[in-house]
Amino acid sequence: MSYVEDLYREAIDAMTPAERMQRVHVFLNWVRDLYARQLRPQLGDVSEERLKWEVALRMYGSDRRARSLIERKLQDVLS
């Protein structure tokens, strides 16, 4: 490993489980926001509810069961 990787690993190892979960939470929100920013130009002026489900579809759509549930919610939003 490189020096930077060693420092990173030390910093992560020094975190409490709660701090690690907070880090995951922050990263997940960042990813959601990134998808939302990418989708806005494609979808145009849509409701926050639809945007939320479109983001979920991008994030979890590779799972067949999750895709089915999300697509049903999208149909509810579009109706």
Side-chain angles (χ1 to χ4, degrees):
M1 276 200 253
S2 74
Y3 177 70
V4 172
E5 289 170 322
D6 288 339
L7 288 176
Y8 173 78
R9 178 60 35 212
E10 286 176 25
I12 295 297
D13 290 345
M15 290 180 178
T16 66
E19 289 170 329
R20 287 186 197 138
M21 288 306 297
Q22 177 62 28
R23 185 177 175 89
V24 169
H25 178 74
V26 168
F27 182 70
L28 186 59
N29 283 336
W30 180 84
V31 170
R32 285 182 185 143
D33 290 344
L34 176 65
Y35 275 128
R37 285 190 306 273
Q38 290 173 344
L39 286 168
R40 278 265 181 227
Q42 295 173 19
L43 299 174
D45 189 26
V46 297
S47 69
E48 289 298 316
E49 184 73 7
R50 178 173 175 199
L51 183 62
K52 174 179 77 173
W53 290 110
E54 293 284 356
V55 167
L57 188 60
R58 285 352 177 253
M59 292 180 73
Y60 308 111
S62 63
D63 179 284
R64 186 176 44 88
R65 286 181 278 172
R67 175 176 283 280
S68 176
L69 292 169
I70 294 166
E71 286 174 344
R72 277 191 271 164
K73 289 302 289 183
L74 271 170
Q75 287 304 313
D76 291 344
V77 170
L78 295 173
S79 300

